[in-house]
Amino acid sequence: MSLHNKIHSHNHNKKLKFFLISFLVLANYIFWQNFLTSQRAVAEINNQALSAQIEAESNLQQNLNAGQIKNKGLLMFRGTSSRDFYGTGPINTNMPEMLWRYPNETSLNNKPLCAKSYVGNANKIWCGSGWTGQPIVWERSDGITEIITNTYDRGIHFINAQTGEQSRVPFYTGDIIKGTVTMDPDGYPLLYSGSRDNFYRIIALDREVPTELWRIEAKKSDGVWNDDWDPNGLILNDILYTGSENGWFHAIKLNRSYDDLGKVTVNPTEIFKYPTYADGYIDKLGDDDLSIESSPLLVDNIIYIANSGGRIMGFDTKIIEKNIDSSVVPITFDFWTGDDTDATLVADKNGFVYSASEYERNNERQKIGQILKLDPKKYLEKISKGEAPTDSDIIVWGISVPKKRGMTGGIWATPAIKNNRLYVPTNPGDLLMIDTNTGKILNSIYIGTNAWSSPALIDNNLDSNLIIGTCEGKILNFNISNDIFEKVWEHKIDSGSCIESTPAVWNGQIFFGARDGYIYSIK
C-alpha cells in the first residue's frame, strides 16, 4: 500500500472511530436521560399516590373524628328524639323583615316548587311544603348554616341560611315528599328521608352531589292502606327507627362507617319490624287505615309510635339492640285512642306521654277525648303483676275537641310541651294552653281553621315565645310567659297561602314553607 493510501486509510479509521465513540456517548446520554425522565415520572406518580393516600387517610381520620362529634343544629322534626327542642332565639320583638324567598334568581329553577301526585285516582298538583314539612338546620363544619327541606316538587332542597341561595343541587325522588328529613345526629354526613314513591332513603352529603346510598321499599301488598313514608326517622345507637304507611314499624341497623377514600358508607340491615295494624285492630276499627304517619318518640329507652287507627305502642330499644330471638317481643305499651293519631307523641320529664288525635270515625271510643295524658309506667306495673291495664289505669286526663265552626274536630298538629304547659293547635282553629298536671285549659285563642302547623317554643331573653304558622298565610308570635297568648306580631306572606308546615327557628331567624310553592325566611 502506498504512503498516500495508508494515510487516507488511517484518517478514515480515525473518523470512523470518532463517529462510533460519539454515537455511543450520545446513545448513552439519551438512554440515561430517558431513564431519569422515566424515574422522575414514576417518582411523581408515587408522590401523587402517596399524597392521595395521605389525603384519604386525613379525610378518613377527619370523618372518623366527625363521627364522634355530634352534628349541630335543628337536625330533625322537633330537634331531638324527645321531640322537645324547637330551635334557638332570640326572636325579634319588632315586626320581622323578609330575608329571602326560595327558589329565586340564584336557583337552577326559579319557579314554584310544584309537582303532580295521585290522590286515589285523581292526579292533582301539589306545591310548596305541607304537613309536617319542618325545615332542618345544619351548622356545617365549613361555617355555612344550611337549611334542608323536602317539598312537594319531589325534591330535597339545600339552602344557604344567610343568603337564601342554593347551597347544593337538589335531590329528587319519584314523588312528592311530606314529613321532615333527618340529619344524622352523630356527625356522619348522612341524610334520611322518606317519599311518596314507596322508598325511604339514606343520602350521602360528602360527594359532589347528594348521593343515594341505600333505600327500603314499603309495599301496600305487604301491609295495609298505603306505601308512603311520612314519619321523621330517629337514630339511636346506630339504629334507625321509623314507620311506614303500610303500617309497619321498622328498626334498621345502619352500620355507618367510612371507606378507604374517607367517604361515608352504610350497610343497613333490618333487625326488627312489627305490623302495628295486627292483633285484631282491623276488625276493631272496621277499616284498614292503620298507616303510620306520626314520628317515633324516645322516652328513656322506649320508642313510642302511633298509627292512623289510634294504636299507640311502646318498644324497648334495649331488647331490639340485643337482636335476640324473635320470640321476645319488645312491646312495653299498647293503647287505643279510638281514631287517627298522626300527630307525633310528646312526653314530659316524668315520662307521661301526651297524644293528639283526629275526630273522623265518630265511634264510641272517641268519648275518652282527643287530647290525652297517658301513664305508660302504670301500664307496665299492671302487666308485671299479670293484670290487664284498664283505661282508668292509663288515662290521667282527656280533653274532647269536637266539630266546630263547620270543621272536623280533633288535631293534626303535634303539640308543644314545656314545663307543665301543653300547647295544642286544633283543626277547628283554636290554639289551646293546657295545664299538664290537671288537664285544665288555661287559655285559648283562635288562629284560623286547619291549624296543622306545629308550634315552636323559643326562650326570648326573660320571656317565652310561641311561633306558629296559619292557613291564612301568617306566622304568629305570641308571648306566653304569663299563661296568656299575648300577640307580639304577625307576619303575612304576600300570597296569603296556607302555612301548614312547621316553622324552624335558629338564632332568631325563622324558616318555613307555604303551599304557594316557596320556602321563606324572616327575622
Side-chain angles (χ1 to χ4, degrees):
M1 179 182 295
S2 66
L3 178 61
H4 173 78
N5 289 339
K6 285 182 178 180
I7 293 172
H8 178 77
S9 175
H10 176 73
N11 291 338
H12 176 76
N13 290 338
K14 283 180 66 178
K15 290 180 179 178
L16 180 61
K17 184 177 180 181
F18 176 78
F19 174 77
L20 289 173
I21 291 172
S22 299
F23 175 78
L24 290 173
V25 170
L26 180 62
N28 188 57
Y29 173 79
I30 292 172
F31 169 79
W32 282 107
Q33 282 294 104
N34 289 338
F35 175 76
L36 291 174
T37 300
S38 65
Q39 287 299 101
R40 282 195 294 268
V42 170
E44 181 66 24
I45 291 171
N46 288 337
N47 286 337
Q48 290 176 358
L50 180 61
S51 297
Q53 181 181 350
I54 291 172
E55 183 180 2
E57 290 175 354
S58 175
N59 289 340
L60 177 58
Q61 189 58 51
Q62 289 176 12
N63 286 333
L64 288 174
N65 291 337
Q68 298 170 1
I69 300 171
K70 304 295 184 182
N71 280 325
K72 183 179 179 182
L74 191 69
L75 304 177
M76 58 195 299
F77 179 63
R78 283 295 179 71
T80 65
S81 55
S82 55
R83 309 295 179 182
D84 59 359
F85 176 52
Y86 312 94
T88 61
I91 300 290
N92 195 343
T93 56
N94 298 317
M95 179 66 72
E97 296 180 358
M98 177 73 69
L99 298 184
W100 49 257
R101 187 183 77 170
Y102 175 93
N104 50 52
E105 62 277 1
T106 69
S107 311
L108 292 179
N109 178 17
N110 187 14
K111 295 179 180 179
L113 304 170
C114 301
K116 291 183 177 180
S117 185
Y118 279 90
V119 179
N121 294 322
N123 192 6
K124 61 174 287 188
I125 294 177
W126 301 64
C127 289
S129 66
W131 182 95
T132 53
Q134 177 207 293
I136 67 166
V137 184
W138 180 27
E139 288 200 347
R140 295 180 353 194
S141 59
D142 61 1
I144 292 176
T145 299
E146 189 168 40
I147 305 304
I148 308 176
T149 187
N150 48 275
T151 70
Y152 287 159
D153 76 333
R154 306 184 175 189
I156 299 172
H157 293 265
F158 305 86
I159 309 167
N160 185 306
Q162 181 179 1
T163 66
E165 296 176 357
Q166 183 174 285
S167 53
R168 65 181 93 205
V169 297
F171 178 93
Y172 288 101
T173 68
D175 208 334
I176 66 171
I177 311 174
K178 297 192 290 180
T180 297
V181 299
T182 298
M183 185 70 205
D184 191 281
D186 298 321
Y188 295 93
L190 292 169
L191 193 67
Y192 306 82
S193 177
S195 172
R196 228 180 181 202
D197 67 357
N198 303 9
F199 293 104
Y200 193 95
R201 293 173 170 84
I202 302 177
I203 302 161
L205 299 183
D206 61 351
R207 276 73 164 171
E208 289 187 9
V209 297
T211 303
E212 179 184 308
L213 299 184
W214 179 85
R215 62 166 66 177
I216 184 173
E217 185 175 9
K219 297 179 180 178
K220 180 180 178 181
S221 58
D222 293 337
V224 295
W225 189 246
N226 212 334
D227 44 26
D228 302 357
W229 299 81
D230 286 353
N232 177 248
L234 183 158
I235 292 95
L236 175 69
N237 297 333
D238 199 41
I239 298 173
L240 167 67
Y241 295 95
T242 192
S244 50
E245 281 207 35
N246 63 357
W248 285 88
F249 170 70
H250 306 264
I252 299 163
K253 179 70 173 174
L254 295 171
N255 297 306
R256 297 165 297 178
S257 187
Y258 291 93
D259 64 19
D260 292 340
L261 296 177
K263 299 300 183 184
V264 70
T265 64
V266 293
N267 185 24
T269 179
E270 190 163 52
I271 59 174
F272 177 78
K273 63 186 297 188
Y274 194 87
T276 65
Y277 56 84
D279 310 313
Y281 268 84
I282 293 177
D283 292 336
K284 181 183 290 191
L285 284 163
D287 61 61
D288 70 347
D289 184 1
L290 287 122
S291 64
I292 298 176
E293 296 189 51
S294 74
S295 301
L297 163 74
L298 179 67
V299 181
D300 297 325
N301 61 303
I302 307 300
I303 292 278
Y304 294 95
I305 198 159
N307 71 20
S308 297
R311 188 182 191 184
I312 299 174
M313 302 188 73
F315 295 92
D316 191 329
T317 61
K318 296 300 182 185
I319 296 176
I320 293 174
E321 286 173 15
K322 291 176 182 177
N323 198 19
I324 57 181
D325 90 60
S326 58
S327 63
V328 181
V329 179
I331 297 174
T332 62
F333 187 70
D334 199 346
F335 179 80
W336 183 39
T337 68
D339 209 339
D340 197 333
T341 307
D342 288 342
T344 295
L345 306 166
V346 296
D348 61 27
K349 302 303 181 185
N350 297 314
F352 291 99
V353 172
Y354 300 82
S355 67
S357 301
E358 298 165 27
Y359 200 139
E360 295 183 313
R361 286 186 169 93
N362 297 310
N363 56 36
E364 191 69 19
R365 180 65 174 171
Q366 291 177 306
K367 290 181 179 179
I368 63 175
Q370 285 64 61
I371 306 171
L372 301 173
K373 179 179 181 178
L374 307 173
D375 189 351
K377 294 179 181 177
K378 186 63 69 70
Y379 177 95
L380 271 182
E381 180 184 314
K382 287 288 185 176
I383 291 294
S384 65
K385 294 178 180 179
E387 302 174 7
T390 63
D391 283 347
S392 60
D393 295 322
I394 302 170
I395 302 173
V396 180
W397 51 253
I399 298 173
S400 293
V401 183
K403 178 179 179 180
K404 189 177 181 181
R405 302 185 183 98
M407 301 296 297
T408 301
I411 301 101
W412 273 255
T414 294
I417 190 167
K418 183 178 181 181
N419 300 325
N420 60 341
R421 296 292 181 265
L422 189 72
Y423 304 90
V424 187
T426 70
N427 192 57
D430 296 310
L431 175 59
L432 308 179
M433 180 187 297
I434 302 168
D435 185 321
T436 59
N437 294 323
T438 64
K440 179 182 178 182
I441 298 176
L442 301 175
N443 219 314
S444 68
I445 189 169
Y446 178 68
I447 61 172
T449 58
N450 295 309
W452 292 10
S453 175
S454 302
L457 306 181
I458 304 295
D459 289 329
N460 207 42
N461 300 319
L462 299 178
D463 293 327
S464 292
N465 288 69
L466 182 150
I467 306 296
I468 191 168
T470 77
C471 218
E472 297 173 349
K474 298 175 182 178
I475 294 289
L476 304 178
N477 176 9
F478 294 103
N479 185 331
I480 54 173
S481 302
N482 299 312
D483 282 348
I484 60 173
F485 292 109
E486 178 187 353
K487 186 184 289 186
V488 181
W489 49 254
E490 66 176 52
H491 177 95
K492 186 171 184 178
I493 58 177
D494 291 340
S495 68
S497 182
C498 182
I499 302 170
E500 64 184 48
S501 61
T502 298
V505 184
W506 198 252
N507 295 332
Q509 189 173 350
I510 302 171
F511 310 93
F512 61 94
R515 292 301 301 271
D516 61 1
Y518 292 96
I519 309 299
Y520 295 88
S521 178
I522 61 174
K523 187 173 183 178

